[in-house]
Amino acid sequence: MSNDSVQPGGVALGDPFYGAPFPEAVRRFWRKYTVFTGRASRAEFWWWWLTSLAIGLVLQLVPQVFTPDSALFENPVGSYLFMLWVLATLIGSLALGARRLHDANLSGFWQFLHVLPGIGSLALFVVFLLPTNPKGVRFDR
């Protein structure tokens, strides 16, 4: 299937899907897991991050429900499951972040701000909220 094939929402996989519904945003995350080129809309980006956050919380908290009361929050299984989730989605999350930055007409290398404790991730949070910049089309193939 080519990068320009039309998807269920009527938007080619290689194009940003503005106003993407939840299921389509998650589907596009997995279909474009290693694609660092092109652009991603705010809807694609934020639907995935809300999904990933919810799954991460469930993976961390559900094992706690099945531990005895005296050992609450001492069970490391949730942490291990959470770390497996983070590792399984790391490349795709970085690719999605790069595409979201491209949609705001910024280089994907801005993600290196994450290495600055606290302030870097906060700055990126604000940048990921930026609206689409038409000049971002330069990042398309």
Side-chain angles (χ1 to χ4, degrees):
M1 183 175 274
S2 75
N3 196 30
D4 293 326
S5 64
V6 176
Q7 297 301 296
V11 177
L13 189 59
D15 296 335
F17 191 157
Y18 299 106
F22 164 74
E24 185 59 27
V26 172
R27 189 175 308 121
R28 288 169 74 88
F29 171 82
W30 292 110
R31 302 265 333 259
K32 297 170 79 169
Y33 188 83
T34 59
V35 178
F36 284 81
T37 59
R39 297 172 290 145
S41 69
R42 285 188 287 190
E44 288 177 81
F45 181 84
W46 289 111
W47 275 126
W48 169 252
W49 277 103
L50 287 173
T51 301
S52 184
L53 176 68
I55 291 171
L57 284 172
V58 167
L59 289 175
Q60 243 182 336
L61 297 177
V62 166
Q64 302 305 327
V65 173
F66 298 105
T67 59
D69 290 336
S70 62
L72 194 60
F73 298 111
E74 293 177 11
N75 184 351
V77 172
S79 296
Y80 296 141
L81 292 173
F82 176 75
M83 287 309 298
L84 282 173
W85 174 252
V86 169
L87 290 173
T89 60
L90 179 64
I91 300 298
S93 296
L94 289 172
L96 179 61
R99 292 193 312 270
R100 177 68 206 119
L101 289 167
H102 292 166
D103 194 53
N105 194 32
L106 296 168
S107 169
F109 287 106
W110 279 91
Q111 289 187 96
F112 281 115
L113 286 175
H114 278 302
V115 300
L116 299 174
I119 190 75
S121 294
L122 181 62
L124 277 171
F125 175 81
V126 171
V127 170
F128 288 139
L129 290 170
L130 291 174
T132 297
N133 184 330
K135 293 180 181 176
V137 74
R138 71 186 174 109
F139 291 101
D140 292 348
R141 286 185 181 173

PDB file of all heavy atoms in Angstrom, residues 121-136:
ATOM      1  N   SER A 121      10.180  19.636  28.373  1.00  0.00           N
ATOM      2  CA  SER A 121       8.904  18.983  28.064  1.00  0.00           C
ATOM      3  C   SER A 121       7.753  19.974  28.123  1.00  0.00           C
ATOM      4  O   SER A 121       6.813  19.890  27.330  1.00  0.00           O
ATOM      5  CB  SER A 121       8.654  17.821  29.025  1.00  0.00           C
ATOM      6  OG  SER A 121       9.612  16.806  28.802  1.00  0.00           O
ATOM      7  N   LEU A 122       7.821  20.916  29.040  1.00  0.00           N
ATOM      8  CA  LEU A 122       6.786  21.942  29.130  1.00  0.00           C
ATOM      9  C   LEU A 122       6.783  22.810  27.870  1.00  0.00           C
ATOM     10  O   LEU A 122       5.724  23.114  27.315  1.00  0.00           O
ATOM     11  CB  LEU A 122       6.982  22.811  30.372  1.00  0.00           C
ATOM     12  CG  LEU A 122       5.960  23.906  30.596  1.00  0.00           C
ATOM     13  CD1 LEU A 122       4.570  23.313  30.791  1.00  0.00           C
ATOM     14  CD2 LEU A 122       6.357  24.754  31.795  1.00  0.00           C
ATOM     15  N   ALA A 123       7.963  23.184  27.403  1.00  0.00           N
ATOM     16  CA  ALA A 123       8.070  23.987  26.184  1.00  0.00           C
ATOM     17  C   ALA A 123       7.509  23.212  24.991  1.00  0.00           C
ATOM     18  O   ALA A 123       6.783  23.763  24.163  1.00  0.00           O
ATOM     19  CB  ALA A 123       9.521  24.382  25.927  1.00  0.00           C
ATOM     20  N   LEU A 124       7.825  21.919  24.899  1.00  0.00           N
ATOM     21  CA  LEU A 124       7.303  21.105  23.803  1.00  0.00           C
ATOM     22  C   LEU A 124       5.791  20.949  23.899  1.00  0.00           C
ATOM     23  O   LEU A 124       5.107  20.942  22.877  1.00  0.00           O
ATOM     24  CB  LEU A 124       7.969  19.736  23.780  1.00  0.00           C
ATOM     25  CG  LEU A 124       9.307  19.714  23.073  1.00  0.00           C
ATOM     26  CD1 LEU A 124      10.000  18.382  23.275  1.00  0.00           C
ATOM     27  CD2 LEU A 124       9.149  20.005  21.604  1.00  0.00           C
ATOM     28  N   PHE A 125       5.264  20.832  25.107  1.00  0.00           N
ATOM     29  CA  PHE A 125       3.814  20.754  25.287  1.00  0.00           C
ATOM     30  C   PHE A 125       3.143  21.961  24.642  1.00  0.00           C
ATOM     31  O   PHE A 125       2.164  21.827  23.911  1.00  0.00           O
ATOM     32  CB  PHE A 125       3.480  20.683  26.785  1.00  0.00           C
ATOM     33  CG  PHE A 125       2.011  20.712  27.076  1.00  0.00           C
ATOM     34  CD1 PHE A 125       1.246  19.564  26.956  1.00  0.00           C
ATOM     35  CD2 PHE A 125       1.394  21.883  27.472  1.00  0.00           C
ATOM     36  CE1 PHE A 125      -0.112  19.586  27.222  1.00  0.00           C
ATOM     37  CE2 PHE A 125       0.030  21.919  27.747  1.00  0.00           C
ATOM     38  CZ  PHE A 125      -0.721  20.769  27.619  1.00  0.00           C
ATOM     39  N   VAL A 126       3.706  23.145  24.884  1.00  0.00           N
ATOM     40  CA  VAL A 126       3.158  24.369  24.303  1.00  0.00           C
ATOM     41  C   VAL A 126       3.312  24.346  22.781  1.00  0.00           C
ATOM     42  O   VAL A 126       2.386  24.698  22.044  1.00  0.00           O
ATOM     43  CB  VAL A 126       3.837  25.615  24.910  1.00  0.00           C
ATOM     44  CG1 VAL A 126       3.439  26.883  24.181  1.00  0.00           C
ATOM     45  CG2 VAL A 126       3.504  25.713  26.393  1.00  0.00           C
ATOM     46  N   VAL A 127       4.457  23.919  22.288  1.00  0.00           N
ATOM     47  CA  VAL A 127       4.701  23.888  20.842  1.00  0.00           C
ATOM     48  C   VAL A 127       3.748  22.907  20.156  1.00  0.00           C
ATOM     49  O   VAL A 127       3.241  23.181  19.060  1.00  0.00           O
ATOM     50  CB  VAL A 127       6.175  23.529  20.549  1.00  0.00           C
ATOM     51  CG1 VAL A 127       6.399  23.262  19.078  1.00  0.00           C
ATOM     52  CG2 VAL A 127       7.086  24.652  21.023  1.00  0.00           C
ATOM     53  N   PHE A 128       3.470  21.770  20.803  1.00  0.00           N
ATOM     54  CA  PHE A 128       2.548  20.793  20.213  1.00  0.00           C
ATOM     55  C   PHE A 128       1.126  21.340  20.122  1.00  0.00           C
ATOM     56  O   PHE A 128       0.307  20.826  19.367  1.00  0.00           O
ATOM     57  CB  PHE A 128       2.552  19.491  21.001  1.00  0.00           C
ATOM     58  CG  PHE A 128       3.805  18.667  20.832  1.00  0.00           C
ATOM     59  CD1 PHE A 128       4.376  18.025  21.914  1.00  0.00           C
ATOM     60  CD2 PHE A 128       4.416  18.534  19.597  1.00  0.00           C
ATOM     61  CE1 PHE A 128       5.518  17.252  21.767  1.00  0.00           C
ATOM     62  CE2 PHE A 128       5.564  17.782  19.434  1.00  0.00           C
ATOM     63  CZ  PHE A 128       6.118  17.130  20.532  1.00  0.00           C
ATOM     64  N   LEU A 129       0.823  22.378  20.860  1.00  0.00           N
ATOM     65  CA  LEU A 129      -0.502  23.013  20.807  1.00  0.00           C
ATOM     66  C   LEU A 129      -0.624  24.032  19.670  1.00  0.00           C
ATOM     67  O   LEU A 129      -1.728  24.479  19.366  1.00  0.00           O
ATOM     68  CB  LEU A 129      -0.804  23.724  22.134  1.00  0.00           C
ATOM     69  CG  LEU A 129      -1.057  22.828  23.334  1.00  0.00           C
ATOM     70  CD1 LEU A 129      -1.100  23.663  24.613  1.00  0.00           C
ATOM     71  CD2 LEU A 129      -2.328  22.031  23.168  1.00  0.00           C
ATOM     72  N   LEU A 130       0.507  24.390  19.055  1.00  0.00           N
ATOM     73  CA  LEU A 130       0.474  25.394  17.996  1.00  0.00           C
ATOM     74  C   LEU A 130      -0.421  24.968  16.838  1.00  0.00           C
ATOM     75  O   LEU A 130      -0.502  23.785  16.499  1.00  0.00           O
ATOM     76  CB  LEU A 130       1.885  25.655  17.455  1.00  0.00           C
ATOM     77  CG  LEU A 130       2.852  26.366  18.382  1.00  0.00           C
ATOM     78  CD1 LEU A 130       4.241  26.416  17.748  1.00  0.00           C
ATOM     79  CD2 LEU A 130       2.362  27.758  18.712  1.00  0.00           C
ATOM     80  N   PRO A 131      -1.078  25.937  16.205  1.00  0.00           N
ATOM     81  CA  PRO A 131      -1.918  25.596  15.050  1.00  0.00           C
ATOM     82  C   PRO A 131      -1.059  25.235  13.835  1.00  0.00           C
ATOM     83  O   PRO A 131       0.151  25.462  13.812  1.00  0.00           O
ATOM     84  CB  PRO A 131      -2.711  26.876  14.799  1.00  0.00           C
ATOM     85  CG  PRO A 131      -1.871  27.961  15.362  1.00  0.00           C
ATOM     86  CD  PRO A 131      -1.134  27.356  16.525  1.00  0.00           C
ATOM     87  N   THR A 132      -1.715  24.720  12.838  1.00  0.00           N
ATOM     88  CA  THR A 132      -1.050  24.374  11.585  1.00  0.00           C
ATOM     89  C   THR A 132      -0.456  25.617  10.942  1.00  0.00           C
ATOM     90  O   THR A 132      -1.071  26.671  10.930  1.00  0.00           O
ATOM     91  CB  THR A 132      -2.073  23.757  10.622  1.00  0.00           C
ATOM     92  OG1 THR A 132      -2.554  22.558  11.212  1.00  0.00           O
ATOM     93  CG2 THR A 132      -1.463  23.474   9.274  1.00  0.00           C
ATOM     94  N   ASN A 133       0.751  25.469  10.425  1.00  0.00           N
ATOM     95  CA  ASN A 133       1.396  26.541   9.681  1.00  0.00           C
ATOM     96  C   ASN A 133       1.501  26.058   8.230  1.00  0.00           C
ATOM     97  O   ASN A 133       2.126  25.033   7.971  1.00  0.00           O
ATOM     98  CB  ASN A 133       2.780  26.829  10.259  1.00  0.00           C
ATOM     99  CG  ASN A 133       3.462  27.997   9.605  1.00  0.00           C
ATOM    100  OD1 ASN A 133       3.236  28.287   8.427  1.00  0.00           O
ATOM    101  ND2 ASN A 133       4.316  28.661  10.343  1.00  0.00           N
ATOM    102  N   PRO A 134       0.889  26.781   7.286  1.00  0.00           N
ATOM    103  CA  PRO A 134       0.922  26.321   5.884  1.00  0.00           C
ATOM    104  C   PRO A 134       2.330  26.086   5.348  1.00  0.00           C
ATOM    105  O   PRO A 134       2.518  25.272   4.446  1.00  0.00           O
ATOM    106  CB  PRO A 134       0.235  27.446   5.128  1.00  0.00           C
ATOM    107  CG  PRO A 134      -0.575  28.186   6.136  1.00  0.00           C
ATOM    108  CD  PRO A 134       0.147  28.011   7.444  1.00  0.00           C
ATOM    109  N   LYS A 135       3.323  26.761   5.910  1.00  0.00           N
ATOM    110  CA  LYS A 135       4.695  26.564   5.450  1.00  0.00           C
ATOM    111  C   LYS A 135       5.231  25.190   5.827  1.00  0.00           C
ATOM    112  O   LYS A 135       6.267  24.771   5.304  1.00  0.00           O
ATOM    113  CB  LYS A 135       5.601  27.652   6.020  1.00  0.00           C
ATOM    114  CG  LYS A 135       5.277  29.035   5.470  1.00  0.00           C
ATOM    115  CD  LYS A 135       6.197  30.079   6.063  1.00  0.00           C
ATOM    116  CE  LYS A 135       5.833  31.458   5.525  1.00  0.00           C
ATOM    117  NZ  LYS A 135       6.649  32.500   6.144  1.00  0.00           N
ATOM    118  N   GLY A 136       4.554  24.468   6.694  1.00  0.00           N
ATOM    119  CA  GLY A 136       4.971  23.120   7.104  1.00  0.00           C
ATOM    120  C   GLY A 136       4.904  22.118   5.975  1.00  0.00           C
ATOM    121  O   GLY A 136       5.456  21.023   6.085  1.00  0.00           O
TER     122      GLY A 136
END
